[in-house]
Amino acid sequence: MASQIVVVGGSLGGLRAAEQLRVNGWSGALTVVGAEAHLPYNRPPLSKNVLVSPDISALTAAELVDYPGVALRRRAQVEDVSFVLDTQVASAALSDRSLLTVDGRELAYDGLVIATGLRPRRLPIAGFDRHRHALRTLDDAIALRGQLTPGTAVVVVGGGFIGCEVAASACRLGCQVTVVEPFAAPMLRPLGAELARTVQTFHEDKGVSFRLGRSVSTLAGRASDPATLGAVVLDDGTELEADVLVEAVGSNPNVEWLAGNGLDLSDGVLCDNMMRVEARENVVAVGDVARFPNPRFGSTPRRVEHWCIPADTAHRAATTLIRGLSTAENGDRDPAPFAPLPSFWSDQFDVRIQGFGRTEHADRIEVLEGGFAPGWVSEGVVVGYFRQSTMTGVVIAGGTPAQRLRHKTLLEGVG
């Protein structure tokens, strides 16, 4: 058996891949290279608890990594894994099975796991960097938290889940919050029009303002201090007072280090259903950087930016890689289709929105339980998403954990 596997990417996907490699019997050298200075941690609390919880407001990043809820449980099997942190891989030569880090180190491998994830997109407007934020890392959250004081005017650009979670957190901290969104409602694509507008109204009742159908034209400084952010100017000329700007306008896959190897990197790393990278021997990808076909939703390869996907793909990729390194067949013998059920959740103020499957390609949406009348938060509203006659997704807003589990189980049976 070969002697070295390198996992590039030190977040959830990288950690779960390392764990699964050990679980599947890999006893050789195993190295995880991470761009951040911290061991892997849980990202969902960044836009919520890390911003608003007074119990952890004074903790440093190094302390938060081990804080309950932020800390990721690490299996005992990875205690001997070598984590090379605060380091990025600059380039890869897949034909030579070698990597080069930005600080000049060369890493040879026999098996490679690509787990480099995403980075936030930013507005194509220069200036005012001290008061502009994106939210992807623990350090991002700590920097933003320091500016969310009562009375601060916060403009959030982007009305997706991250944008709405940040808006809710900033509002709870006493900030004046406006969300700018180019579509007709926040979270329109994943929720559909009726549920999206219901959640928008819920936010407005809490104090969040929305500017819908608008985009940002430019940024302006204060009259008293032109070097300090004072306003966000929209495409219709409206000026929104802004002390802090949060850019929640999507993400880009971290694939540049793979350039020059002849791979399709047009939207992440193209993989097959085994998580192999374009039939490259002993190279697999995991997490939201991987674009793979899921037979549950057809044959088109897609990236999925949901929390469960890193663990699901890590399990599949580790099995494939171990089999490839152990035999000459490169993992071709696994007959079982890989069909994970994507899932997500979003906590905004005191309501949880949880979804399963794919909702954005539905041609019909139907309320399955409850309704949008007052009281929907406590009673719960369940919305089904259908393509032709097949249910492809379900979202439960409010309601109970038992309600959410029941509908997840029903949808799993559909696949």
Side-chain angles (χ1 to χ4, degrees), residues 169-195:
S169 295
C171 187
R172 291 176 62 182
L173 290 168
C175 301
Q176 303 171 35
V177 183
T178 302
V179 176
V180 178
E181 164 61 40
F183 292 107
M187 301 168 286
L188 182 62
R189 289 187 63 196
L191 299 186
E194 194 168 14
L195 180 55

Side-chain angles (χ1 to χ4, degrees), residues 97-369:
R97 298 186 178 184
S98 68
L99 308 171
L100 179 65
T101 67
V102 293
D103 55 0
R105 279 180 277 185
E106 294 185 9
L107 296 172
Y109 66 83
D110 297 283
L112 175 65
V113 180
I114 298 168
T116 39
L118 312 174
R119 64 180 182 279
R121 291 190 189 123
R122 305 304 295 264
L123 294 172
I125 301 171
F128 306 107
D129 291 345
R130 285 188 299 121
H131 299 285
R132 296 174 60 173
H133 298 267
L135 189 54
R136 178 70 182 174
T137 68
L138 192 51
D139 294 307
D140 292 340
I142 290 174
L144 176 60
R145 182 179 68 183
Q147 295 190 348
L148 297 181
T149 55
T152 298
V154 178
V155 173
V156 179
V157 181
F161 287 118
I162 296 295
C164 287
E165 289 175 1
V166 171
S169 295
C171 187
R172 291 176 62 182
L173 290 168
C175 301
Q176 303 171 35
V177 183
T178 302
V179 176
V180 178
E181 164 61 40
F183 292 107
M187 301 168 286
L188 182 62
R189 289 187 63 196
L191 299 186
E194 194 168 14
L195 180 55
R197 290 185 181 121
T198 298
V199 178
Q200 175 192 337
T201 301
F202 174 73
H203 272 256
E204 290 171 335
D205 290 343
K206 300 286 187 179
V208 176
S209 298
F210 287 86
R211 295 295 182 126
L212 303 172
R214 300 266 65 94
S215 59
V216 176
S217 176
T218 190
L219 308 177
R222 296 178 182 173
S224 59
D225 181 5
T228 298
L229 179 65
V232 171
V233 184
L234 304 185
D235 56 351
D236 64 351
T238 301
E239 291 194 14
L240 301 175
E241 180 186 1
D243 302 308
V244 172
L245 171 62
V246 181
E247 301 170 43
V249 292
S251 303
N252 289 318
N254 291 314
V255 296
E256 289 79 3
W257 62 281
L258 290 163
N261 289 285
L263 302 177
D264 179 351
L265 304 176
S266 56
D267 181 24
V269 181
L270 180 61
C271 303
D272 62 15
N273 189 249
M274 305 291 292
M275 304 312 298
R276 290 176 300 199
V277 176
E278 297 191 65
R280 297 302 176 102
E281 186 177 1
N282 299 332
V283 181
V284 294
V286 304
D288 40 21
V289 75
R291 178 161 50 104
F292 66 97
N294 184 338
R296 184 185 289 272
F297 305 109
S299 59
T300 302
R302 293 185 176 90
R303 290 191 309 103
V304 182
E305 299 180 18
H306 288 176
W307 190 87
C308 65
I309 290 301
D312 289 340
T313 54
H315 186 277
R316 179 67 157 190
T319 303
T320 298
L321 187 53
I322 292 297
R323 185 171 291 137
L325 290 169
S326 302
T327 73
E329 300 178 26
N330 200 25
D332 283 325
R333 292 185 302 170
D334 190 343
F338 177 50
L341 179 67
S343 64
F344 67 86
W345 80 90
S346 179
D347 292 331
Q348 301 174 25
F349 293 104
D350 53 353
V351 67
R352 168 159 292 192
I353 302 168
Q354 189 155 10
F356 304 97
R358 295 188 65 87
T359 61
E360 60 270 37
H361 298 299
D363 54 24
R364 179 170 63 88
I365 298 174
E366 180 181 336
V367 176
L368 303 177
E369 287 184 23

